[in-house]
Amino acid sequence: MAVEVKHYTTEQLPEIRQIILDIHAEVRHGDFKLNNEFNSVERFDERLTRYSSRPGFTAAVGWEGDEPVGFAFGITLGPDSTWWRSMSTPLPDGYTTEDGKRTVALNEIVVRKPWRGRGVAWQIHEEWLAHRTEQRVTLLVNPAAGNGSVQAVYEAWGYRTVGQQQPFSDSPVYASMTRELA
């Protein structure tokens, strides 16, 4: 099932901010019952504000007609990025060196329940990446999510686990994954 994917920049975020927040609440709280402080709408909105203030922020929202079905957003990792600082797994020399062109971080990808299992997340993901110019993409995934099935999806999409990190004191310990881009 194909949906229409529209792209947004920081300047256009006000047009979709509430849509992103509503989808976050519906999926994280309603579907997955992640009703803790870290996943609260307020904390998510703070992270969205912080991410969207960084260079290279873009978002993609999938639409079926007038209905938003999911979103993805992320940022370019610049030389001052803190992305890799919370790694608990040592990485090879130079792996974490960022220059603002090497790596894009996929901060979030969320799809509403009626559109899951239809390839919509893959479509939003790939169309978001099609507008990126970096050499690789990285993301964090809770290895316990879906009893490991979420991480398995990313592996099927070509990501590989490079280690673990806990970027916030109250966040889960995530698997850090990367994928090379063409």
Side-chain angles (χ1 to χ4, degrees):
M1 161 188 243
V3 297
E4 180 183 8
V5 178
K6 297 180 182 177
H7 296 267
Y8 302 86
T9 62
T10 298
E11 294 73 28
Q12 298 161 315
L13 183 59
E15 298 172 31
I16 59 166
R17 179 183 286 276
Q18 194 59 53
I19 292 167
I20 288 174
L21 296 176
D22 290 348
I23 292 173
H24 165 82
E26 176 184 329
V27 173
R28 299 283 199 253
H29 298 193
D31 296 346
F32 298 140
K33 309 296 185 214
L34 299 174
N35 297 312
N36 53 41
E37 178 60 25
F38 180 74
N39 286 296
S40 71
V41 173
E42 295 77 21
R43 283 282 299 280
F44 178 77
D45 192 28
E46 289 172 9
R47 290 191 298 274
L48 176 58
T49 297
R50 188 171 56 253
Y51 296 140
S52 65
S53 71
R54 304 286 301 168
F57 172 87
T58 61
V61 177
W63 298 87
E64 187 172 74
D66 292 336
E67 189 77 21
V69 303
F71 66 85
F73 65 76
I75 60 171
T76 304
L77 300 184
D80 62 342
S81 175
T82 60
W83 182 268
W84 303 107
R85 288 192 188 150
S86 59
M87 291 296 296
S88 58
T89 309
L91 294 172
D93 285 347
Y95 194 87
T96 64
T97 302
E98 299 297 346
D99 60 6
K101 296 177 183 170
R102 183 179 190 192
T103 309
V104 60
L106 176 61
N107 298 113
E108 293 283 342
I109 182 167
V110 179
V111 173
R112 296 172 62 204
K113 191 173 187 175
W115 289 272
R116 283 188 226 134
R118 301 179 181 186
V120 171
W122 167 255
Q123 182 189 356
I124 292 170
H125 176 266
E126 291 302 300
E127 291 193 28
W128 177 73
L129 282 177
H131 288 246
R132 304 303 310 197
T133 59
E134 294 84 3
Q135 300 167 11
R136 66 183 181 181
V137 58
T138 187
L139 59 78
L140 302 177
V141 62
N142 183 342
N147 292 318
S149 65
V150 176
Q151 187 171 350
V153 166
Y154 292 125
E155 290 168 353
W157 291 359
Y159 287 86
R160 65 181 181 85
T161 301
V162 296
Q164 293 184 328
Q165 63 171 289
Q166 185 176 14
F168 302 96
S169 62
D170 62 344
S171 73
V173 174
Y174 293 107
S176 180
M177 303 182 82
T178 61
R179 174 179 138 183
E180 297 300 315
L181 299 174

